[in-house]
Structures are given as structure tokens and as C-alpha cells.
Amino acid sequence: MAACARTAPLLLLLAFSFAFAGSVTERKAEEFHVGVVLDLGTTVAKVARTSMSLAVEDFNAVHPSYTTRLVLHVRDSMGDDVQAASAVLDLLENHKVQTIVGPQKSSQATFVSALGNKCQIPIISFTATSPTLSSRTLPYFVRTTLNDSAQVNSIVSMIKAYGWREVVPIYVDNDYGRGIIPSLVDALQQIDVHVPYQSEIDQSSTSEEITQELYKLMTMQTRVYVVHMSPSLGSVLFTKAKEIGMMSEGTVWIITDGLTNLIDSLNPSVVEAMNGALGVKVYVPISTELDSFTKRWYMRSRIDHPNDPTMKLNIFGLWAYDSIWAIAQAAEMSKVRKAMFQRPSSEKNLTNLETLQTSINGPALRKAMLQNKFRGLSGYFDLSDGQLQVSTFRIINVAGKGYREIGFWTARNGISKALEQKRSHPTYESTKPDLNIVIWPGEVTELPRGWELAVRGKKLQVGVVKGHYPEYIDADEDPITGVTTARGLAIDVFEEAVKRLPYALAYEYKLFNITGIASSSYDEFVYQVYLKKYDIAVGDIAIRYNRSLYVDFTLPYTESGVAMVVPVRESINKNAWIFLKPLTPGMWFGTIMVVIYTGVVIWLLELLGNNKNVDATISRQSMTSIYFSMFEDKEKVKRLISRIVLVVWLFFILVLKSSYTASLTSMLTVQQLQPTAHDVHELLKNGEYIGCGSGSFVMGLLEELGFPRSMIKPYHNPEDIHNALSRGSKNGGIAALVGEIPYIKLFLTKNCKRYTMIGPIYKTAGFGYAFPKGSPLVGDISQAILNITGGDTIIQIEQKWVRDKNSCQNEGSIIGSGSLTFASFEGPIILTGVVSTSSLLVALIMYFYRNKKIKPHHSDSEQISSHGENER
């Protein structure tokens, strides 16, 4: 009993201690007030509200020892920007909230984030995606969703992979819609994709107004659309597009994640209207935690919203859940115990906004949030840059009443079928994107071209001119019917190229009148394409850099370059020393050396053969050498080997003699044609007048070379050029014509014998056709031109219009002199040298061999004779 008496007070003391400790823990768990501002009537807000309630419960259950407990104060902005701001002011003044979750729209977040900056209250938004909201300008704005610009690269990668060259963005005309456009257009321009039009649709537009805008898009040739708008407006857009036939074969629709992230919540009829569209969707990794949460969320959602149809959990619900966890962890990490605010130094004559108090805990709380990283239900949650960083998107294809996954996009590997697929090097054999098969609008699997030419029976307007060279381009307009007919080499090539296109191309010619003689006349013609007066400009249009700044050119269909035409003059040589001209100085020197060498060889051969006619004295050996080489005297030359050398030598002399005689005869009797000038700089130095084609860029080129404008004369036709060249620069004409090689060759076919071409003196790109910037026709027409110029078709067209381009013999450079060079007789000279040297070597070997054999015979005879004398 005594022991029991002693233990009873101890038990009471322990019980009291535990109770006291529990009460202390409860007192230490401070309330952390969080304001929530959402459009509570929307699906996103309903899904997010349930997720946030579960997040608070789950966080407290997982961390029972934490000293902070989140308390949510929910307000309805009712979709109005002013109401959202009013709700935030109420929460700041009356509930002393230390952070705000929301608001839902980007337009609402702009003003609310400014309030957060002023009060140093973190504004956490999991729905405001506009790139105009940035933590750099609004430090207390923290985005727990994706910046809309994050999906731009994935969209552009798809466009590049499929090879589309024109895109029209369709977006809602508010902060959310406009925010993505600058980054999207810039990214498209980097891959040379043209944006001919941007379709803005007001968020309050009626169905009729949206239909009218869609009809306007149908009148354009572009058929690739990128849609960026809210689900409610997007539903109307696709329903109307389906009704008027814009969801048919040949069109391409790409939807941003603003629609795809909520596609499960759309009406099934809307999803069916979107069939064939591609889209990018935020990738959420699968996990057991996500599966468990999804089941609990559906149970709680039915309790929270009993009168609403069954909703589906979406990515915004997951981001809302992770945002609450991020706030709770930051509150604990920053050691926030109680809301503390600092009042303005003076409150006299201040408005309500100016009397807002500044949070003392705000900077520490913001810093803790940016440093906090964890793996949430939506994936890796990292806010270090002031916004969520996600680098993976799913690429989906809308089909039936849902969608199918066709691949992924990652910042590291780009587009691929599988998420973990290694990036392979591209090959020339396959240009198709690495994605699964797509069912395009119209339920086809063939890749849409992305553009249409003939819209509602409209024909392409092809501009033509009445050129100065009708062989290349000529056109007339019927004064009664107004119909333009065109002909010429440029027209034949264009019409042949159109025939080879894999689709029909309806067009009609329209005449453009070139007036004046200024070099800018053709620039004005090409500029009409930029002004959209013509869809194509066809003619003898030189491809120039300044023109390529506002139009696109096809590949050239003619030769390129600028050359010079000059007259040729007749000349007869009357030089007293003309007999030396048939051979060049080098040839004369080589011939003399061969003569001397051959004579010396023959003399040595005869000397070694004991020819009595050969004198071994130095005084006569030089004369004998020349004699042997110049005259064939069988009595003088005894040895066979010497006669072989002589025969080869005589062959060389015979060839040289015949060539010399022919060349000298030509110089004395034939009149030679020589160009009057060899270089354009020579004409500039001599102050000669020079001509060019009227309206040609060559005038500007000559001015760049230093010719004064007063010394440059433009001409309209070949007849005027011929007359000017005939008169010459000193008689009111010109000394030379500078122009494009196609024109010069055409001129020479008619005036071949009197003129010649010098050059090319300048490189150009040739003649081509002009199209609007980014026109998808450029590539197809260029391929057709390559096909034409690479075969016999271009030869037939040229023979039809420009005659035989090889008919002129004066075309190209002229041989200056007919002198025979050492290289012309390299073969006979080498043969003579080889035979002479070989014969001499053979003779020397025979000579030394014979002498070696004779010496022992002489020594034996001397010994016998001396022995006989001794015996005697």
C-alpha cells in the first residue's frame, strides 16, 4: 500500500506534464491566413477549390509537428477585374492575409500583383499564364503554372517538322491571348515561316462575328492555324469552323495548352468538331500518389459540388494542390509566427490604396518559396525563377470524343515518339517527323500542304511587262476585252513549270506598263508583288539583293553574269620582222638549242666510230656539229646509229618547217579580227561612252565602277545598240555595251560578225520569277525550273526564241596571236632529245667495251716479242 501511495503522485505528475505539453503545442501552432481569389463559377475554380482544401488537410496530416496552420479565405471575383481587386483589398485590410492565391485571369493578376508589390505580399497564381506578367518587373508575383511562351518551342518544332511555311495565329484579344503572340511570331521567323495575318477575336464576340472572321480566313491561301484562347471561346470557334467546312481535308489546326489542358471538360460535340487538330498538353508523370489523390478528389468533389455534373481533375487542380503545399512549407521555413504589418509614416490625406500596410514577413516568405523545391503531384515543383519550370509536353491528336497521344516534346530531345527516346541524327532519306500517324481534318492521314491557291474561283494575278527584248518577254492587252496575252522565253518556261506542278494552278496575266528609262522601272514592277497587286511577277527579271528584301525569287532559268560587247576591227600585219613572229622567242631559243645539241651528238657518234671525215680539233668541231645537223650527207655520216638520230631530227625539222610556213602565210595574207577594248576599266580610263539596257540594274553597277551618269547611255532595243556601236564613242555612239549575258547572246545572234563578247566581268544570279515573301509556291516552281533546265526542254525553248546560241563564232575571247609556242612542239622536241641522248649513251658503252677488249691483246703481243729478242 505504501508503494502504491508513492507511485500515485508520480502518475498524476506525468499525466499533468503530457497535458501541459499538448496544450503548449496547440498554442504554438499559429494560424497562417491565405487569401484565395477565383472565378468560383468556372470549372477551373471549382476543381482548384477542392484540391486546395485537400492540400491543407494532407499537409497538416503529414506534418503534425509544424507550428503553422494554413487558413484559407476564399473570395469570388465573378470574372471581373475590378471585383478581383476589391476582393484582394478586403482580404488585406480585414483578414491580414500574408499571401494571395490567384486571381484567375492574367488581366486580373496585373493589378493584383502591383498591390502585392506595394504590400510585399506574395501573389501566387496557378492560372495566369500571360508572358507580360513577370517576376522581374513584379517581384512578388510567383507563377505556379507555365508561362505561355514555354509551349512556343514545341509548337514551332511541329510546324518545322511538317514543313509548313505559312501560319495564321487565331487568339482572343486580351492580355492572355496577346501575350504569346510576340514570342510565337519571333520563333516562326527564326525558322523562315511567314505570318501573313493575325486573327484577333474579341472575348465578347458573338457566333455571327466569329463566323465572319472564319470566312475572311477562308479567302486567304494559308491553311495552318494556331489557336490560343479560352475553352469557352474556343468551343464556339471550332463549332462554327466545323459548320462552314473549315475542318475539312487540307487544313491544319494546332491548339495551345489553354484548350488541351481542359479538353476533358469540354462538351463531347465540341471535341468532335475539333477532330484532326494537333495540340500540346502539359506532361504529368504517373505516380501512386497521384492515383490515390485522384480517387479522393472525386469523392470530395461530389460533396463540394453536389448540384454540378461530374467534373474531371485537370492540371490546374494539381497545380493548386502543389501551390498550397509550397505556401505551407515556405511559411514553416521562414519561421513566420504572426502576421506583422507596418503602417505608412503618415496617414493624413491618403486614399485607401495609399493606407495599405506593408508586410514585414513578406520578403522572408517570398525567399522561402523561391528556394523551395519538391516533387509534387504535377511533377517536379521548382519556383527558383519566379515561375514553374516544365520542359516536357505531350503532343496529342484530337480524334472521336477524345484524343490520342502521338508523341512528346522535350527541351533536350525535341520531338519524339517516346519520352525516353534518344535523339537520332537526321538523315536525308527521311524528312518525316518522328511522331505517330496523325489523323488530319477530313479523316485523312496524308500530310496537308498547309495552303490553297484558288480560293472561291479566284485566279492568281500574274504580272507581265512589254520588255525591250520580245524574245524573252512581250505582252499585249486587248483594248476591248482587257485580256492580256504574253509570249517569249520567260513565258514558255513559266507555263511549262506550271504544267509540272503536282496540282492545278489557275492564273491570268496582267500587263504592267514600264514607263521611262530609269533603272528603277523593273524595281517598280517587282514592288507590285510586295504591294499585293500581283501574286507573281514573270519576265526577264534579274535576281538582285535589293529586290530580295521584299520578295522571294525562284531559282534562275537563264545563265548568270554581266558581260561586255565591243566591236571588232580588221588588222593586217605589215611588220618588217614579221618572219620572226611565227615562233615565239622561247620557241626560237629552244629550236636553236636542239639544233646545236643534235649536231654535237652526231659529231660525237661519228668521232667515236673513227669517221675520217671528222676532225677532232676544237677549231673545227663546232662547224662540223652544225653541218651534221643541217645537211643530210650520207657520205659524211657513216654509222647507222648516227643516221637514226638524223632521221628523227629531220622529222622534227619537217614538222617545224610546215607549221612555220603555214603560220607565216596566215599572218601575211589573212585579215585578223581584234576587239577594240579588252577591259571595262580601260574604257573608264579613256573616258569612253558606254551603253546599257534601258531599265536595267547595270546602270547602277556602272556608276559603282566609277562611270559618270552622263557617260552612260541606256537603249531600248538591239537596233539602237547596233547603231550606237557602229558610230563609236567619238561620233555620238558608244564604245561598248554592258549587259546581262542572256541579252548579249541574243544580240550576237543577230550581229555576230561585227561584235564580240568580253567577259563575264561581273557575277549575277540570272533571271527569275518574283513571289511574295514566304509564298509556298516558290519551292515548287523552283523545283520545276530545275527539272526544265536540266533536260532537253530548255534547249527547245531557247532554239524557238533565241536561235542556236552556239551559232556565233566570235562569242567569247579572241586569240591574240598565232605564234607557235614551245608547248606546241613539246612532243617532237622530247622525242629528238631522247633519241639523241640514248644513241650517245649506247655509242659510249660500245666504245669503252671495245677499248677494254683490245688492251689485253696488245699486252700479250708485246711480251712475246720481248721474249724472242732475249733468246736471240
Side-chain angles (χ1 to χ4, degrees), residues 191-436:
I191 62 171
D192 199 24
V193 173
H194 185 50
V195 180
Y197 179 72
Q198 298 179 18
S199 177
E200 296 181 355
I201 297 180
D202 191 88
Q203 54 188 345
S204 60
S205 295
T206 62
S207 299
E208 289 73 20
E209 290 172 338
I210 292 176
T211 303
Q212 289 300 318
E213 180 66 16
L214 291 174
Y215 276 125
K216 182 178 180 181
L217 294 177
M218 290 181 68
T219 63
M220 304 175 186
Q221 69 176 15
T222 307
R223 289 293 181 270
V224 180
Y225 310 108
V226 175
V227 180
H228 181 65
M229 55 183 57
S230 63
S232 57
L233 190 60
S235 298
V236 179
L237 176 79
F238 279 102
T239 301
K240 292 301 176 182
K242 178 72 172 179
E243 289 179 2
I244 65 175
M246 288 189 70
M247 298 301 296
S248 57
E249 182 178 352
T251 58
V252 178
W253 295 84
I254 301 175
I255 50 181
T256 62
D257 63 359
L259 275 168
T260 56
N261 288 336
L262 295 173
I263 194 170
D264 294 326
S265 303
L266 298 178
N267 191 296
S269 62
V270 174
V271 177
E272 288 182 349
M274 297 168 62
N275 274 193
L278 296 179
V280 291
K281 197 175 192 311
V282 175
Y283 170 72
V284 178
I286 299 174
S287 64
T288 55
E289 292 83 1
L290 178 59
D291 291 339
S292 175
F293 173 77
T294 303
K295 295 175 183 178
R296 292 190 296 115
W297 183 91
Y298 276 112
M299 294 175 62
R300 175 62 69 87
S301 178
R302 295 188 187 99
I303 298 173
D304 292 343
H305 312 285
N307 299 324
D308 292 332
T310 302
M311 292 180 290
K312 293 185 178 181
L313 178 63
N314 54 47
I315 185 62
F316 295 105
L318 301 182
W319 282 332
Y321 183 93
D322 291 339
S323 298
I324 295 300
W325 273 68
I327 295 171
Q329 290 181 355
E332 186 68 23
M333 291 169 57
S334 60
K335 306 300 182 182
V336 173
R337 294 294 179 268
K338 187 177 180 180
M340 292 184 292
F341 291 88
Q342 182 179 1
R343 293 182 176 275
S345 57
S346 175
E347 296 185 3
K348 295 181 180 180
N349 301 323
L350 296 180
T351 63
N352 289 338
L353 290 179
E354 292 173 324
T355 59
L356 289 176
Q357 301 177 20
T358 302
S359 173
I360 298 176
N361 299 328
L365 183 61
R366 172 184 173 274
K367 182 178 179 181
M369 285 201 66
L370 298 183
Q371 292 177 347
N372 190 15
K373 300 178 181 64
F374 61 94
R375 186 163 298 279
L377 294 179
S378 62
Y380 189 65
F381 211 77
D382 179 9
L383 302 174
S384 56
D385 195 30
Q387 61 184 5
L388 192 62
Q389 305 295 321
V390 176
S391 59
T392 304
F393 286 93
R394 300 166 65 193
I395 301 176
I396 66 170
N397 178 208
V398 183
K401 296 183 179 180
Y403 60 88
R404 44 193 290 270
E405 188 176 274
I406 62 171
F408 297 88
W409 180 91
T410 61
R412 180 179 180 182
N413 297 327
I415 291 177
S416 59
K417 290 181 182 179
L419 184 58
E420 301 300 329
Q421 181 176 337
K422 292 184 179 179
R423 187 173 185 177
S424 59
H425 296 286
T427 60
Y428 291 102
E429 289 77 10
S430 176
T431 57
K432 295 181 179 179
D434 186 22
L435 291 171
N436 292 314

Side-chain angles (χ1 to χ4, degrees), residues 601-662:
V601 169
I602 295 176
W603 175 78
L604 288 174
L605 291 175
E606 292 300 311
L607 180 64
L608 295 175
N610 296 322
N611 189 341
K612 296 179 180 180
N613 296 322
V614 178
D615 190 353
T617 60
I618 298 176
S619 60
R620 297 187 61 187
Q621 66 184 15
S622 59
M623 294 300 296
T624 304
S625 301
I626 298 174
Y627 176 84
F628 276 128
S629 63
M630 297 298 294
F631 305 101
E632 54 171 320
D633 190 343
K634 295 181 180 180
E635 298 299 327
K636 295 291 184 180
V637 180
K638 301 293 185 179
R639 301 186 68 183
L640 176 61
I641 195 171
S642 300
R643 293 187 178 185
I644 293 174
V645 174
L646 190 60
V647 168
V648 176
W649 161 249
L650 290 176
F651 170 75
F652 167 70
I653 289 297
L654 178 63
V655 174
L656 179 63
K657 177 184 176 182
S658 301
S659 302
Y660 175 86
T661 302

Side-chain angles (χ1 to χ4, degrees), residues 532-678:
K532 297 184 178 181
K533 181 179 179 180
Y534 302 132
D535 298 304
I536 312 172
V538 171
D540 48 350
I541 305 170
I543 302 173
R544 300 289 295 160
Y545 168 74
N546 63 317
R547 297 170 182 171
S548 68
L549 296 176
Y550 48 86
V551 296
D552 283 342
F553 284 101
T554 62
L555 292 176
Y557 61 89
T558 62
E559 295 181 68
S560 61
V562 173
M564 183 170 65
V565 173
V566 296
V568 292
R569 61 170 177 260
E570 299 176 349
S571 63
I572 301 178
N573 286 302
K574 298 179 180 180
N575 192 346
W577 297 93
I578 194 173
F579 67 90
L580 295 176
K581 277 198 169 184
L583 302 182
T584 60
M587 186 61 191
W588 277 113
F589 177 77
T591 302
I592 293 172
M593 294 304 298
V594 171
V595 168
I596 295 174
Y597 179 71
T598 305
V600 170
V601 169
I602 295 176
W603 175 78
L604 288 174
L605 291 175
E606 292 300 311
L607 180 64
L608 295 175
N610 296 322
N611 189 341
K612 296 179 180 180
N613 296 322
V614 178
D615 190 353
T617 60
I618 298 176
S619 60
R620 297 187 61 187
Q621 66 184 15
S622 59
M623 294 300 296
T624 304
S625 301
I626 298 174
Y627 176 84
F628 276 128
S629 63
M630 297 298 294
F631 305 101
E632 54 171 320
D633 190 343
K634 295 181 180 180
E635 298 299 327
K636 295 291 184 180
V637 180
K638 301 293 185 179
R639 301 186 68 183
L640 176 61
I641 195 171
S642 300
R643 293 187 178 185
I644 293 174
V645 174
L646 190 60
V647 168
V648 176
W649 161 249
L650 290 176
F651 170 75
F652 167 70
I653 289 297
L654 178 63
V655 174
L656 179 63
K657 177 184 176 182
S658 301
S659 302
Y660 175 86
T661 302
S663 181
L664 180 61
T665 303
S666 175
M667 291 181 178
L668 292 173
T669 59
V670 178
Q671 294 178 338
Q672 295 191 348
L673 299 177
Q674 298 289 341
T676 56
H678 294 85

Side-chain angles (χ1 to χ4, degrees), residues 472 489-490 493 539-544 554-563 697-698 739-749 757 759-769 785-786 788-790 794-795 797-799 802-808 811-812:
Y472 276 97
L489 185 145
V493 173
D540 48 350
I541 305 170
I543 302 173
R544 300 289 295 160
T554 62
L555 292 176
Y557 61 89
T558 62
E559 295 181 68
S560 61
V562 173
F697 71 92
V698 174
E740 294 99 315
I741 288 179
Y743 293 149
I744 288 177
K745 290 192 173 183
L746 178 61
F747 176 79
L748 289 178
T749 58
M757 184 177 79
I761 61 175
Y762 191 81
K763 293 295 294 182
T764 60
F767 294 163
Y769 307 129
I785 290 175
L786 278 178
I788 294 169
T789 56
I794 189 65
I795 298 176
I797 295 175
E798 286 180 344
Q799 288 178 346
V802 194
R803 301 180 185 177
D804 186 1
K805 64 179 182 180
N806 296 320
S807 61
C808 184
E811 184 180 308

Side-chain angles (χ1 to χ4, degrees), residues 2-37:
C4 291
R6 288 193 299 268
T7 56
L10 180 59
L11 292 173
L12 290 173
L13 180 61
L14 289 173
F16 177 79
S17 299
F18 281 117
F20 178 79
S23 64
V24 170
T25 302
E26 289 180 359
R27 285 196 299 269
K28 285 185 177 180
E30 299 286 347
E31 290 184 345
F32 186 89
H33 296 275
V34 177
V36 179
V37 180

